[in-house]
Amino acid sequence: MASSAPKVPEKEHHESSDSIDRKAQLLAEQISKSKHLIVFTGAGISTSAGIPDFRGPDGVWTLKRQGRVRDLKAVNTLQAIPTPTHMALVELQNRGILKYLVSQNCDGLHRKSGMLPDRISELHGNSNREYCKDCGKEYIRDFRAVAAYEKTVHDHRTGRKCALCAGPLYDTIINFSESLPAQPVHRAHHHAEKADLCLVLGSSLTVTPANEIPEIVGQARNGKLVICNLQNTPIDHLSDLRIHSRTDELMIRVMEELNLPIPPFVLHRRLALKLESSGDERRRLTVSGVDIDGTPITFLKSIKLVYNRRIARSEPFVIDIRGNLDTGTALKLELEFMGHYGEPNLEVTYKYTGGKDAEILYLLEYHPYNREWHTAEQRSANGGEGIGDDMDKADDGIRLPNAPEF
């Protein structure tokens, strides 16, 4: 909240390029030697994506405290592109170097960039995630998973119902004076106690109890703490290496020192298609988004069976098919996405193999810089084919005409 920020913000310090080069080399050496690296991130890693921080000179809370209005419009978090820092962390994760990520950010960019759900604790929630208290089911949305109606700040009901038990769904945002989620906090503490190196990126480390995580490493006998933030922090005295720079300036250099690439952002989607018998000569095709851990994801606006006028516009996306289906029949589906990154419509083909029930998982990759889709297909065992775990059979998706411009 605004009262948590001083009216006169902490001064920002910018080190020289030579100094950042030297410290990036030292940090790369420490990362190379580390056996259990964890990273702790704050709002500062998203500022280059157009998302403001909170306590900087033009931070959200700073401006409110001063009664000022932002000069430039902030980027919608749903349309923000993960930064070089986000993507560098994904590369470190995928190579087994980064063991765990603890984040205070609610913008959802870490998960969108490719951080695996079991490798991250989002201590303050995720604006794209909601959950059911009754059965524990989580849902990832390609929209802000908050209530569309006016309510009190501590009323977390979103107005939607759980698809499994019909219980009310709640957003995951943690407001001031509210307790942090127990399981993510437990995992964060567990990895902090194992860590021999903790890298803090873009956090003022003023919000408790989240700031206790890097403090654990800084106080450990065999732990090293590195802090990269433009403003001073309350635990700078615990750091073994202190860098006053923007996170992208540091991480681009660090990855160069490690001789590792920073991958471009690619939007990954997983689409499940299930064909079930629903009676004599009747079948039901259900289409849904799913995360790598099985969590349902909402990223479609509509689906349409090509050459059929009927369009499914709400979840669950279901199309009923009457009549016999011959083995080898191709059912072509046109997918319409939320379009935050200008995703054009995509056509995928479900080939009926003659089984009673069959389920296919499509791995979709969208490249926002050239607006191209790539797809790969995995068929479940009851559909007669083996399931792979990669994009080896990737083909270019079909881009349909009249798609929105990006």
Side-chain angles (χ1 to χ4, degrees), residues 188-227:
H189 274 268
H190 170 73
H191 283 278
E193 290 165 359
K194 292 180 63 176
D196 55 10
L197 177 61
C198 174
L199 172 60
V200 175
L201 294 170
S203 174
S204 63
L205 297 176
T206 57
V207 179
T208 58
N211 60 0
E212 296 173 0
I213 301 302
E215 192 172 15
I216 291 173
V217 184
Q219 292 177 336
R221 184 177 61 180
N222 298 320
K224 292 184 180 297
L225 176 64
V226 178
I227 300 175

Side-chain angles (χ1 to χ4, degrees), residues 71-135:
D71 295 330
L72 299 175
K73 186 177 180 180
V75 173
N76 187 321
T77 57
L78 295 170
Q79 297 174 315
I81 297 286
T83 68
T85 298
H86 286 98
M87 300 313 301
L89 296 179
V90 171
E91 182 70 12
L92 293 174
Q93 168 200 254
N94 293 344
R95 290 179 179 268
I97 298 171
L98 173 59
K99 305 303 183 184
Y100 204 72
L101 175 65
V102 182
S103 181
Q104 297 172 289
N105 297 347
C106 305
D107 53 34
L109 290 185
H110 277 309
R111 290 290 301 275
K112 195 177 291 185
S113 67
M115 292 302 302
L116 298 174
D118 62 348
R119 301 285 184 88
I120 182 173
S121 283
E122 295 176 301
L123 297 183
H124 294 165
N126 182 327
S127 60
N128 304 130
R129 181 160 51 90
E130 58 185 334
Y131 73 106
C132 176
K133 287 184 178 180
D134 293 343
C135 71

Side-chain angles (χ1 to χ4, degrees), residues 83-297:
T83 68
T85 298
H86 286 98
M87 300 313 301
L89 296 179
V90 171
E91 182 70 12
L92 293 174
Q93 168 200 254
N94 293 344
R95 290 179 179 268
I97 298 171
L98 173 59
K99 305 303 183 184
Y100 204 72
L101 175 65
V102 182
S103 181
Q104 297 172 289
N105 297 347
C106 305
D107 53 34
L109 290 185
H110 277 309
R111 290 290 301 275
K112 195 177 291 185
S113 67
M115 292 302 302
L116 298 174
D118 62 348
R119 301 285 184 88
I120 182 173
S121 283
E122 295 176 301
L123 297 183
H124 294 165
N126 182 327
S127 60
N128 304 130
R129 181 160 51 90
E130 58 185 334
Y131 73 106
C132 176
K133 287 184 178 180
D134 293 343
C135 71
K137 191 66 177 177
E138 288 193 342
Y139 299 84
I140 300 291
R141 311 296 194 186
D142 206 6
F143 53 79
R144 284 182 57 81
V146 295
Y149 57 90
E150 187 174 347
K151 58 183 180 61
T152 64
V153 69
H154 295 297
D155 181 358
H156 290 276
R157 291 173 297 175
T158 65
R160 287 174 288 275
K161 299 291 185 180
C162 177
L164 293 184
C165 71
L169 295 181
Y170 295 80
D171 69 53
T172 58
I173 302 301
I174 302 299
N175 297 309
F176 281 93
S177 79
E178 294 179 339
S179 299
L180 300 186
Q183 191 174 21
V185 170
H186 174 75
R187 293 199 302 265
H189 274 268
H190 170 73
H191 283 278
E193 290 165 359
K194 292 180 63 176
D196 55 10
L197 177 61
C198 174
L199 172 60
V200 175
L201 294 170
S203 174
S204 63
L205 297 176
T206 57
V207 179
T208 58
N211 60 0
E212 296 173 0
I213 301 302
E215 192 172 15
I216 291 173
V217 184
Q219 292 177 336
R221 184 177 61 180
N222 298 320
K224 292 184 180 297
L225 176 64
V226 178
I227 300 175
C228 173
N229 194 59
L230 291 174
Q231 297 172 322
N232 293 330
T233 82
I235 63 171
D236 281 353
H237 64 283
L238 295 177
S239 65
D240 297 271
L241 183 61
R242 185 61 173 89
I243 307 141
H244 289 89
S245 77
R246 301 187 187 281
T247 61
D248 289 347
E249 292 176 323
L250 175 66
M251 291 308 297
I252 290 172
R253 288 170 165 87
V254 168
M255 297 299 279
E256 289 175 350
E257 292 289 339
L258 293 171
N259 197 28
L260 296 177
I262 296 179
F265 168 59
V266 175
L267 184 64
H268 294 272
R269 299 300 195 197
R270 298 164 66 89
L271 185 75
L273 276 68
K274 187 173 185 179
L275 185 65
E276 300 175 287
S277 299
S278 58
D280 295 338
E281 297 186 355
R282 292 187 179 185
R283 289 176 174 81
R284 170 163 290 183
L285 182 63
T286 303
V287 182
S288 58
V290 62
D291 201 0
I292 193 169
D293 62 349
T295 301
I297 298 185

